[in-house]
Amino acid sequence: MNIIVLVKQVPDTEAKIRIADDGNQIDEASISFIVNPYDEYAIEAALQLKEAHGGEITLVSLGPGGAIAALRTGLAMGADKAVLLKAENSRFMNSQAVAGQIGKVLADRQFDLVLCGKKAVDTDAQQIGTLLAMNLEISVISSIVELNIAGNQITAKREVEGGTETVSCQLPAVLTCEKGLNEPRYPNLRGIMMAKKKPIEEIVVDVVDSVTDFKFENPPQKAEGRIVGEGVDAVPELARLLREEAKVI
Amino acid sequence: MATILFLAEQRDGELRKTAGELATVANNLAAKSGGQALGLVVGSNVGKCAEELGKFGITKVHIADDAKLKYYSTTAYAHSVNKLIEQVNPDVVLFSASATGRDLAPAVAGLANSSVFTDSTKVDIEGESIAIQRPVFAGKILMNIRSTTTSYISLRPNSYPIEENPASVAVEKFDPGFEDNSFIVQVTEFESSAATRPELTEADIIVSGGRGIGGPEKYDIIEQLADTLSAAVGASRAAVDAGWRPHSDQVGQTGKTVAPTLYIACGISGAIQHLAGMSSSKVIVAINKDPEAPIFKAATYGIVGDLFDVVPALEAELTKIL
Ligand SMILES: Cc1cc2nc3c(=O)[nH]c(=O)nc-3n(C[C@H](O)[C@H](O)[C@H](O)COP(=O)(O)OP(=O)(O)OC[C@H]3O[C@@H](n4cnc5c(N)ncnc54)[C@H](O)[C@@H]3O)c2cc1C
Ligand SMILES: Nc1ncnc2c1ncn2[C@@H]1O[C@H](COP(=O)(O)O)[C@@H](O)[C@H]1O
């Protein structure tokens, strides 16, 4: 099975995000970057499928030159090769443009399955996988927490309000991965050494005209909370405040 | 003169709570621009749902009503919505950022070669453009967008108060015009969680427990408090990863984003990834024995103390006054 895994490099979830002067970039100088957490579930799912069915895993990332570090992490986990679609200042590129660029590259390649994260924790856009599937006119199942592939048949589970759906479709397809699908492995030393020799292909991508008209803003500062008191003695006062001041019960 | 189309979600012929939120937003946008709010319900036997939208002042609702649409299918639902979009040519298409809305919205936008403004918390019409605000970086930054083309928007549940304003509804059925590939993705089974508590993302009140709870069996005090308040139960990632609660209970950056009126955090330290999922709650209560815990900075009200004393006492107090 030939599997493509989409990987985005994102700021560490602990990072403090500062808006850059022009208002539609963030200051990326002082932050550290990680593989998007949901993409780790996608990589792990691909590795397990390869272990079961054989085949090859290709990572694809669109991002600045530095995003190569995220690809190396995925290669160290066990993926076979990678493609970097190099585009500076592309973090908030329009989602359709990102999906379009990735789709263009995939259209010329042989693959059975595309795995990606449920969402990137920078854009929080939650759509690249589905947009890509629509562009490629193949099936998509989003936010999967369980996966089974037998022959051409995919069966997956996803959680929705009120219950769990079992969803099925055929290969080729795009699947977006939710926490709970698996436990991503850590790269070991051997993996890290081997990753250095694995091929990363670079393709330069144009981002002109693919950015939506937007400005960032800091969220309003919330008033600092107040400690009502200590232990059970504070309980009646808390109940009163919830009822009379906040009026939420 | 904008046309605002909104997809009212239903399950088993019952409108979801978010339908009222979307109807209210659609009405307000239509009123502001002198345009029209159009409802859309997709499913099987959904005529009654369409009529119920009148409660929120909606006068026109289109339905794709077909036995084949009984179970949700991303592709069949997307093709149905797209069919109506081609017919009514809306300026704004609103979805709920529910699990279903988050799945469907990009499929619909993708068919039109567009994309979605996901999980938006504000939508307005300003002159010829649509102004949208959505949190990014898990709420650390807000993104203010101006859109001048058809805008596909999903709205964060609980970000809009529902306004009731009864009207009578004209229901119009349309043919979804299924194609060969309309059902390539199919829900083959739906296992109801048979929940006795409200849905986490829709709940008005959430009682959440973290590592401080100490074990799965000890969640009973959290559940009792939740039941007294008709609340949902949430959890931190530490509690989920320890196997005490299911993944679906997790609140935070890699869990659910919630915006209830009241969020009660018990034995949760308030890590930035947890705050990411619940900081837009209107009122936050923290119960923690460590006065230095960061959750107290985010909380509206805090009690420093042992949760095994404070939570049952709070439950008893509320039983008394509610
Ligand atoms: C990429 C990434 C994504 C993440 N996503 C999420 C996410 O979505 N959601 C999430 O929650 N976390 C997430 N985390 C984890 C997060 O960083 C924290 O580790 C986690 O939130 C801690 O959970 P906790 O507050 O329950 O546990 P702890 O931090 O261990 O806090 C337990 C608290 O309980 C208090 N306590 C203990 N006993 C009692 C008692 N008897 N009475 C009262 N108080 C008591 C303690 O004082 C302490 O403050 C993520 C981390 C990473 C790296
Ligand atoms: N620039 C990118 N390069 C590679 N994959 C991406 C990129 N942006 C998003 N993705 C993938 O699409 C998923 C959803 O992203 P998003 O729709 O932006 O929330 C991510 O988890 C990644 O797997």
Side-chain angles (χ1 to χ4, degrees), chain A residues 29-239:
Chain A
S30 56
I31 47 189
S32 55
F33 292 92
I34 57 169
V35 172
N36 181 44
Y38 290 103
D39 302 355
E40 293 183 349
Y41 303 120
I43 298 170
E44 178 61 37
L47 293 169
Q48 291 181 11
L49 286 169
K50 182 180 164 174
E51 281 156 13
H53 304 277
E56 188 179 57
I57 301 170
T58 308
L59 309 176
V60 176
S61 187
L62 184 150
I68 221 157
L71 292 174
R72 290 269 180 232
T73 304
L75 292 172
M77 286 171 76
D80 299 294
K81 54 186 188 163
V83 182
L84 176 63
L85 306 178
K86 213 167 159 183
E88 300 301 324
N89 298 333
S90 56
R91 185 164 305 285
F92 279 87
M93 197 166 147
N94 174 298
S95 296
Q96 181 59 248
V98 175
Q101 292 290 352
I102 293 174
K104 226 161 54 184
V105 169
L106 296 193
D108 301 335
R109 290 172 202 241
Q110 289 281 329
F111 65 89
D112 303 293
L113 186 64
V114 180
L115 291 166
C116 68
K118 165 182 100 159
K119 74 174 171 189
V121 300
D122 50 1
T123 60
D124 287 339
Q126 209 171 326
Q127 58 187 304
I128 296 291
T130 303
L131 295 179
L132 178 67
M134 299 323 261
N135 290 350
L136 296 171
E137 298 186 16
I138 58 177
S139 302
V140 56
I141 307 177
S142 72
S143 304
I144 62 168
V145 294
E146 223 180 282
L147 173 63
N148 247 298
I149 301 186
N152 264 340
Q153 186 70 21
I154 303 175
T155 311
K157 288 195 176 173
R158 54 192 308 274
E159 276 159 4
V160 301
E161 287 80 10
T164 305
E165 291 176 347
T166 304
V167 193
S168 67
C169 68
Q170 306 259 307
L171 293 173
V174 178
L175 304 173
T176 87
C177 302
E178 167 70 298
K179 178 172 186 278
L181 179 63
N182 54 41
E183 283 298 327
R185 67 195 68 184
Y186 289 103
N188 58 25
L189 194 60
R190 198 174 100 89
I192 294 167
M193 296 311 289
M194 282 176 45
K196 292 189 176 143
K197 296 194 213 88
K198 290 178 179 171
I200 301 183
E201 181 186 344
E202 286 193 18
I203 301 172
V204 175
V205 160
D206 201 0
V207 288
V208 179
D209 287 340
S210 41
V211 177
T212 312
D213 177 10
F214 71 87
K215 283 269 181 261
F216 288 131
E217 169 189 320
N218 286 307
Q221 286 278 326
K222 265 201 176 175
E224 194 150 312
R226 78 172 185 261
I227 302 283
V228 178
E230 283 184 28
V232 290
D233 295 346
V235 165
E237 175 63 0
L238 174 64

Side-chain angles (χ1 to χ4, degrees), chain B residues 15-194:
Chain B
L15 278 182
R16 307 272 339 170
K17 178 183 163 198
T18 53
E21 298 170 14
L22 296 191
T24 304
V25 174
N27 262 340
N28 291 342
L29 292 178
K32 187 162 178 191
S33 71
Q36 195 186 14
L38 296 178
L40 165 60
V41 189
V42 180
S44 171
N45 284 323
V46 293
K48 184 180 86 55
C49 294
E51 309 231 334
E52 278 173 19
L53 289 170
K55 199 160 110 193
F56 313 105
I58 299 299
T59 54
K60 181 84 189 261
V61 179
H62 297 269
I63 57 173
D65 201 339
D66 193 314
K68 292 211 269 306
L69 293 168
K70 179 167 169 25
Y71 283 122
Y72 176 74
S73 145
T74 310
T75 39
Y77 273 51
H79 286 176
S80 302
V81 177
N82 191 51
K83 192 79 180 178
L84 185 70
I85 289 175
E86 286 173 359
Q87 198 179 312
V88 302
N89 201 16
D91 302 280
V92 178
V93 186
L94 296 175
F95 300 85
S96 163
S98 60
T100 303
R102 284 168 192 258
D103 182 72
L104 181 59
V108 173
L111 286 175
N113 205 31
S114 186
S115 45
V116 186
F117 303 114
T118 309
D119 206 21
S120 303
T121 45
K122 275 187 199 166
V123 186
D124 203 355
I125 293 195
E126 290 171 5
E128 296 294 295
S129 56
I130 314 296
I132 299 138
Q133 187 172 76
R134 52 179 303 265
V136 293
F137 293 105
K140 289 180 202 169
I141 302 279
L142 302 174
M143 193 176 184
N144 293 310
I145 300 149
R146 262 177 194 288
S147 167
T148 48
T149 54
T150 302
S151 304
Y152 300 84
I153 302 168
S154 66
L155 291 176
R156 176 174 294 182
N158 270 348
S159 340
Y160 289 88
I162 294 172
E163 291 163 25
E164 295 198 3
N165 171 22
S168 77
V169 182
V171 179
E172 197 173 309
K173 189 169 163 174
F174 69 99
D175 177 5
F178 295 125
E179 293 162 24
D180 292 348
N181 63 352
S182 293
F183 289 93
I184 55 173
V185 180
Q186 272 270 288
V187 173
T188 51
E189 201 186 315
F190 184 78
E191 194 187 323
S192 169
S193 51

Side-chain angles (χ1 to χ4, degrees), chain B residues 214-239:
Chain B
E217 68 295 341
K218 297 185 187 156
Y219 262 85
D220 59 350
I221 61 167
I222 299 294
E223 291 178 341
Q224 272 165 28
L225 178 57
D227 291 341
T228 301
L229 289 165
S230 306
V233 173
S236 73
R237 177 163 178 169

